[in-house]
Amino acid sequence: MYAQRGKLEAIFNFFDTNGDGSISREEFHKGCEALNASMASDENKLTDIDKMLDLMDFDGSDSIDINEFLEVFRILDAKDGKVDGVISLAKPGFKQ
């Protein structure tokens, strides 16, 4: 079901710094801040970090477990009508 499961698990583990199987709000903030620090352009930086976590936290536990994390990417993958492991996050009108 998840064409890129291995890569997604590696990303999940990047955020889950204490290895307890869930990404806490603090871990998510620290991970997003690390990603933002590595981006040259402010245009691509992650914003509204709390809102992103709230949208991914399907069970309301204030953290993201691996199933919630994978489900978010399955939903994004299916956005184009196909579940093929290809996720486009480009803004409308943007040529890739």
Side-chain angles (χ1 to χ4, degrees):
M1 175 183 267
Y2 302 103
Q4 304 293 331
R5 186 178 180 108
K7 291 178 183 177
L8 292 173
E9 287 175 347
I11 295 167
F12 180 87
N13 291 330
F14 165 80
F15 283 96
D16 180 20
T17 56
N18 69 1
D20 71 351
S22 67
I23 302 168
S24 68
R25 190 168 294 275
E26 180 181 345
E27 288 173 317
F28 192 65
H29 269 271
K30 286 181 181 178
C32 289
E33 289 167 6
L35 291 173
N36 281 343
S38 70
M39 292 184 197
S41 169
D42 285 346
E43 178 181 320
N44 296 319
K45 292 194 177 191
L46 301 170
T47 59
D48 296 325
I49 294 170
D50 284 318
K51 184 175 181 179
M52 286 191 307
L53 186 129
D54 291 342
L55 290 170
M56 292 189 283
D57 180 19
F58 296 120
D59 66 5
S61 64
D62 205 37
S63 63
I64 306 163
D65 66 29
I66 188 66
N67 293 321
E68 291 169 316
F69 190 79
L70 293 173
E71 183 62 8
V72 166
F73 284 93
R74 188 199 63 77
I75 291 167
L76 287 171
D77 181 18
K79 190 175 179 182
D80 66 357
K82 301 176 277 187
V83 179
D84 55 8
V86 177
I87 299 172
S88 175
L89 299 177
K91 296 176 183 171
F94 179 77
K95 302 278 187 198
Q96 291 187 352

